[in-house]
Amino acid sequence: LTVSGRHADQVVTEGDRSYGTPAIMLGKRTQSLQEIPQSVSVVTRQLLDDRAITSLGEAMEITPGITVQDTNSYERAYYSRGYKIENIQFDGVPTQSGSGFLTQPDMAIYDHVEVLRGPAGLYNGAGEPGGTVNLVRKRPTADFAVSGKVSAGSWNNYRGEFDVGGPLNESGSV
């Protein structure tokens, strides 16, 4: 398995200007897409930036095979193959929250979103038939980097993002 990016054991899509990735971090280890016998979609950092996607709900709306339903005025549910996706993971670690978020996670801190459609029992022990969503956080950069974005829209919708990364000491070990 060869994974491009800053860390050999982690999948990083930020900065590679690609809409695809050779591997995902779903489960206990990094796996190539060829090793997974189910449908997997990855929404990369480049796609999130190009489409100005700021919430998980917006990312799920563009994911193939996923239906997004507003269950009430605050909550959204995600469906795959007719089943509700109950398994939400952060960096491959399952949570107990289910797919009903009262507030949608902001995509500014995530590198990419991995969506596995179908049962995920092979990857996290217990699997619902709908699938799994894995939110992968951004990783530290080897070199100093700064980026920022500002946007404004209708209905007094203003947004600002500021991202700084790099080593904390001269040797780069921290």
Side-chain angles (χ1 to χ4, degrees), residues 89-136:
Q89 298 181 356
F90 295 95
D91 293 327
V93 179
T95 64
Q96 296 297 321
S97 66
S99 66
F101 285 106
L102 293 178
T103 58
Q104 292 292 305
D106 194 302
M107 293 289 102
I109 66 169
Y110 296 107
D111 180 72
H112 63 277
V113 179
E114 302 168 347
V115 180
L116 176 109
R117 293 181 297 280
L122 280 171
Y123 307 103
N124 54 359
E128 298 291 328
T132 298
V133 175
N134 186 26
L135 299 166
V136 180

Side-chain angles (χ1 to χ4, degrees), residues 13-14 42-63 76 78 88-91 101 103-115 133-139 147 149 159-163:
T13 66
E14 185 179 29
V42 178
V43 180
T44 64
R45 181 79 248 166
Q46 186 67 43
L47 183 57
L48 293 170
D49 290 342
D50 289 350
R51 300 277 302 258
I53 294 171
T54 59
S55 72
L56 177 60
E58 292 172 350
M60 296 298 282
E61 286 175 354
I62 66 163
T63 303
R76 299 183 109 179
Y78 312 120
I88 304 292
Q89 298 181 356
F90 295 95
D91 293 327
F101 285 106
T103 58
Q104 292 292 305
D106 194 302
M107 293 289 102
I109 66 169
Y110 296 107
D111 180 72
H112 63 277
V113 179
E114 302 168 347
V115 180
V133 175
N134 186 26
L135 299 166
V136 180
R137 286 179 280 199
K138 291 180 179 179
R139 302 292 182 221
S147 66
K149 295 181 205 172
R159 180 177 176 84
E161 293 179 23
F162 188 66
D163 197 0

